[in-house]
């Protein structure tokens, strides 16, 4: 975890230049009257919480000599200093994902990113218990990170810890639009996994739904989409429109650019109308 500090003409040498030999420093040239600076502020605060670096804030109105020395013309102006050298900069507001890309270009990774990489390594080796332990540690360190909750839910689904996954998914608010839609899709995936393991009913549609659900769990997405689409054609009201909801969840999980999503979105529209 890093830190956020305010620096001035007198402290810049020690708190920025010298500190950059210990860890990277993001210098934020800002002003209190600057709207974009206020938009960037919480993003930089999040970065400081997650990365082992220093965010050094320089108020240009109070430190005009520093702003002049570094040629600051527009704000927010953010510079990256490492090992005493200015290695990169940007002017304006970068969204948080772009900020991570900016740091990643210089091989600066957060503790969270390193942890997620370690989890992926353990999963590829088949060490799901080790992956779970690392995930529990990350959740303790970053309890408010909704993106991490989504990743944890995916791991718990893979480990068949469905209740733990549901609890995390339910904590992702609707205001987090992109994450919320993914969370709802994963909830639907859990419904399908249960429908596969514990089929309910003996009707032909019950059997078709359970079979399609199992195809999803096994990763046979095209065959699953065909199965759910057939149910939509037969009886859209089945399971409270459950087949259509399952198809939409698969679209979310596959992504809009996936060829299957494009193909079956058209087929679904034809079946509905």
């Amino acid at each position: 975890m890093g830190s956020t500090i305010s620096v001035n003409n007198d402290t810049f040498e020690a708190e920025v230049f010298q500190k950059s030999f210990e860890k990277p420093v993001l210098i934020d040239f800002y002003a209190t009257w600057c709207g974009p600076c206020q938009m960037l502020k919480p993003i930089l605060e999040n970065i400081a919480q997650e990365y082992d670096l220093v965010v050094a804030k320089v108020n240009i109105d109070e430190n005009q000599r520093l702003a002049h020395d570094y040629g600051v013309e527009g704000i927010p102006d953010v510079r990256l200093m490492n090992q005493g050298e200015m290695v990169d900069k940007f002017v304006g507001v970068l969204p948080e994902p772009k900020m991570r890309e900016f740091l990643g270009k210089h091989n600066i990774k957060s503790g969270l990113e390193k942890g997620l990489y370690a989890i992926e390594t353990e999963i590829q080796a088949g060490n799901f218990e080790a992956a779970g332990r690392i995930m529990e540690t990350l959740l303790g360190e970053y309890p408010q990170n909704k993106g991490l909750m989504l990743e944890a839910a995916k791991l718990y689904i893979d480990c068949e810890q469905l209740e733990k996954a549901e609890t995390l998914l339910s904590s992702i608010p609707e205001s987090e639009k992109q994450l919320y839609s993914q969370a709802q899709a994963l909830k639907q995936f859990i419904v399908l996994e249960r429908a596969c393991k514990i089929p309910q009913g003996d009707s032909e549609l019950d059997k078709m739904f359970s079979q399609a659900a199992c195809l999803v769990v096994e990763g046979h997405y095209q065959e699953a989409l065909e199965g759910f689409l057939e149910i939509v054609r037969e009886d859209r009201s089945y399971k409270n429109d459950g087949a259509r909801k399952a198809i939409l969840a698969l679209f979310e999980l596959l992504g809009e650019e996936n060829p299957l999503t494009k193909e079956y979105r058209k087929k679904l529209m034809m079946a509905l109308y």
Side-chain angles (χ1 to χ4, degrees), residues 221-232:
Y221 299 126
Q222 183 165 8
E223 295 89 337
L225 286 165
E226 284 289 349
F228 288 128
L229 193 60
E230 184 60 30
I231 296 172
V232 171

Side-chain angles (χ1 to χ4, degrees), residues 9 14 18 41 45 65 72 81 83 105 130 151 156 176 181 196 203 238 262 269 273:
N9 296 318
Q18 295 297 336
K41 181 180 177 182
E45 289 174 350
R65 179 171 61 80
V72 175
M81 181 177 282
Q83 299 297 308
K105 284 194 307 182
E151 294 303 316
Y156 293 145
E176 299 272 359
S181 62
C196 172
S203 72
Y238 175 76
K262 295 179 179 180
M269 292 294 290
Y273 304 105

